[in-house]
Amino acid sequence: MAPVPISPIKVGHIDDVQELRKVKPTTIPERFIRDKAERPELASILSSPSNIPVVNFSKLINGNNRDEQHDEISKLRTACEEWGFFQVVNHEIDLSLLEGIEKVAKDFFMLPLEEKQKYPMMPGTVQGYGQAFVFSEDQKLDWCNMFALGVEPHCIRNPKLWPKKPAAFSETVEIYSREIRKLCKNLLKYVAMSLGLKGDVFEEMFGTAVQAVRMNYYPPCSRPDLVLGLSPHSDGSALTVLQQGKGSSVGLQILRENTWVPVQPIPNALVINIGDTIEVLTNGRYKSVEHRAVTHRENDRLSIVTFYAPNYEIELGPMPELVDENNPCKFRRYNHGEYNKHYVANKLQGKKTLEFAKIPNKNSSSKGLHPVPHQEYP
């Protein structure tokens, strides 16, 4: 298990937003109020959600109908090239399991604060209950409570952080994570095929893939125009799978053509996004996309996020098949564990962490490529 940072990180007092909402429902502490340039415009919060691409998983895996499968792989290619996000329907994960993971997640967040604080997310780490990616006392905070766990391989788990309550929590997370892992392996197979590569290229390359789950709870906020539920960022993973709680407010927004676009969840669908790792491996053909979460004045929101990434021992770089004279190499080769350390040792700042892997131009600085203390999963 990864140790905590060598140097103590001073983050100051962090209000628990659920408790704040209970005690002072109209108060927004200064640390949550964003600078004007970062604040979500009310128009973007209330605007009509965008129809991001939808991929029918059952058609992808239907080898008996080659034309149908080919068409769906083409849809997947377009989604990865033009959006970096898509929703998957007919994913073959039992709906009762989706309901079960939502229930245990919501039940955990509804526990008394003292019970949740038995599983603290220590500053500089990304497992446990609290807020991740906070590194200073003056850093702006997200209007969100998080609970995160490393799942696979077992060496990244911290057993002390797996809660005893609710009783079904651990078992449900185990079963859910197995199903999501299968989905990720399958999706990567078709992502590879959409690039004209062997279907098993990513599975062979990744080794024993790293998998983590994070549950996010966004209470209502009296001033959603002043805060963010989750800061803008791209994911360090290969794929990210997002389950949005049934009946939750629309909160996910993606940055498309310099505009924040809301994503309307399709009932029982899962939202998939491309992470930095796939951007590197495809030499920028498939790009990770900046996204954020906004809050709602009256409604809460729950989401369950799974991150799927290569093993920390794996060395990564653009695949030779995707580099040529017209598409010169954009990223250096690096150890995925080193990139992961870099990712979790920095606050969420758009796609800034991907600079770690970019080959600098002659005029650009190599600043920020030095080693950082050992941390945890993506």
Side-chain angles (χ1 to χ4, degrees):
M1 189 62 210
V4 296
I6 297 168
S7 304
I9 296 173
K10 296 181 179 179
V11 298
H13 175 70
I14 297 178
D15 282 301
D16 183 286
V17 286
Q18 285 175 259
E19 299 302 306
L20 189 64
R21 176 74 186 178
K22 286 180 193 172
V23 179
K24 301 177 179 177
T26 60
T27 299
I28 312 294
E30 185 64 31
R31 281 194 77 183
F32 291 92
I33 299 175
R34 295 283 170 155
D35 297 335
K36 286 190 176 180
E38 295 181 301
R39 293 177 191 172
E41 295 179 10
L42 199 58
S44 83
I45 296 174
L46 301 175
S47 64
S48 299
S50 170
N51 295 318
I52 69 169
V54 177
V55 173
N56 189 328
F57 183 72
S58 64
K59 291 182 180 180
L60 279 180
I61 61 173
N62 184 8
N64 295 325
N65 189 329
R66 294 289 182 179
D67 289 341
E68 190 173 73
Q69 185 187 56
H70 182 268
D71 289 346
E72 212 61 28
I73 290 174
S74 294
K75 283 186 190 176
L76 178 63
R77 181 187 304 114
T78 300
C80 292
E81 282 185 334
E82 298 181 8
W83 288 80
F85 268 78
F86 55 94
Q87 299 201 59
V88 171
V89 296
N90 298 325
H91 42 67
E92 299 193 338
I93 297 177
D94 198 297
L95 298 185
S96 65
L97 183 56
L98 301 187
E99 292 171 2
I101 195 74
E102 282 183 30
K103 184 177 189 313
V104 295
K106 189 72 174 280
D107 287 351
F108 175 82
F109 283 116
M110 294 304 117
L111 289 170
L113 180 61
E114 56 269 24
E115 182 66 30
K116 292 180 286 190
Q117 287 179 333
K118 292 177 181 177
Y119 314 100
M121 184 182 292
M122 303 304 292
T125 68
V126 285
Q127 293 201 53
Y129 175 77
Q131 281 215 20
F133 304 101
V134 182
F135 297 97
S136 69
E137 296 181 76
D138 59 356
Q139 185 177 331
K140 293 298 183 182
L141 300 174
D142 293 331
W143 193 266
C144 175
N145 284 336
M146 298 178 174
F147 184 60
L149 296 169
V151 178
E152 294 292 344
H154 277 229
C155 62
I156 73 167
R157 295 190 182 202
N158 184 342
K160 293 179 181 177
L161 295 178
W162 286 64
K164 303 290 190 292
K165 297 178 183 177
F169 186 96
S170 293
E171 182 184 5
T172 306
V173 168
E174 293 276 18
I175 298 169
Y176 179 79
S177 296
R178 276 202 304 272
E179 292 300 307
I180 296 291
R181 193 174 184 86
K182 285 197 298 191
L183 177 64
C184 287
K185 286 182 178 182
N186 272 315
L187 285 174
L188 283 170
K189 173 182 174 182
Y190 295 105
V191 168
M193 291 169 67
S194 75
L195 291 159
L197 303 172
K198 288 190 312 174
D200 59 0
V201 65
F202 292 123
E203 186 165 359
E204 288 182 356
M205 184 191 304
F206 284 13
T208 304
V210 171
Q211 186 176 344
V213 62
R214 190 180 74 220
M215 300 165 180
N216 305 311
Y217 181 70
Y218 308 92
C221 180
S222 62
R223 291 295 305 273
D225 57 318
L226 298 180
V227 308
L228 285 175
L230 191 59
S231 300
H233 65 286
S234 62
D235 294 332
S237 55
L239 289 182
T240 300
V241 180
L242 169 69
Q243 178 180 337
Q244 305 194 74
K246 192 172 286 187
S248 289
S249 59
V250 175
L252 173 64
Q253 296 185 335
I254 65 175
L255 189 62
R256 180 166 169 78
E257 298 174 350
N258 295 316
T259 300
W260 287 106
V261 177
V263 175
Q264 175 70 54
I266 297 172
N268 303 320
L270 296 168
V271 179
I272 312 294
N273 66 275
I274 299 296
D276 293 347
T277 297
I278 292 295
E279 177 163 346
V280 169
L281 290 172
T282 64
N283 199 33
R285 181 168 168 183
Y286 291 174
K287 289 182 173 61
S288 60
V289 171
E290 214 173 311
H291 51 286
R292 69 181 186 182
V294 295
T295 62
H296 193 278
R297 191 182 301 275
E298 297 169 357
N299 300 326
D300 63 357
R301 177 171 177 257
L302 174 74
S303 66
I304 297 115
V305 190
T306 298
F307 303 98
Y308 187 86
N311 192 276
Y312 293 145
E313 305 300 319
I314 303 301
E315 189 177 85
L316 298 174
M319 291 185 282
E321 299 92 333
L322 301 175
V323 177
D324 56 35
E325 288 182 5
N326 296 322
N327 298 288
C329 196
K330 297 180 177 70
F331 303 96
R332 65 186 179 90
R333 291 194 69 79
Y334 60 89
N335 171 268
H336 178 63
E338 286 300 312
Y339 176 65
N340 176 67
K341 294 172 199 175
H342 174 77
Y343 188 94
V344 300
N346 287 274
K347 67 179 183 178
L348 300 179
Q349 296 181 83
K351 294 191 66 169
K352 190 175 176 60
T353 48
L354 192 54
E355 291 173 12
F356 171 92
K358 285 182 179 175
I359 294 176
N361 296 324
K362 290 179 181 178
N363 297 326
S364 61
S365 165
S366 59
K367 186 177 174 184
L369 301 185
H370 53 276
V372 294
H374 187 55
Q375 300 279 331
E376 298 182 59
Y377 66 83

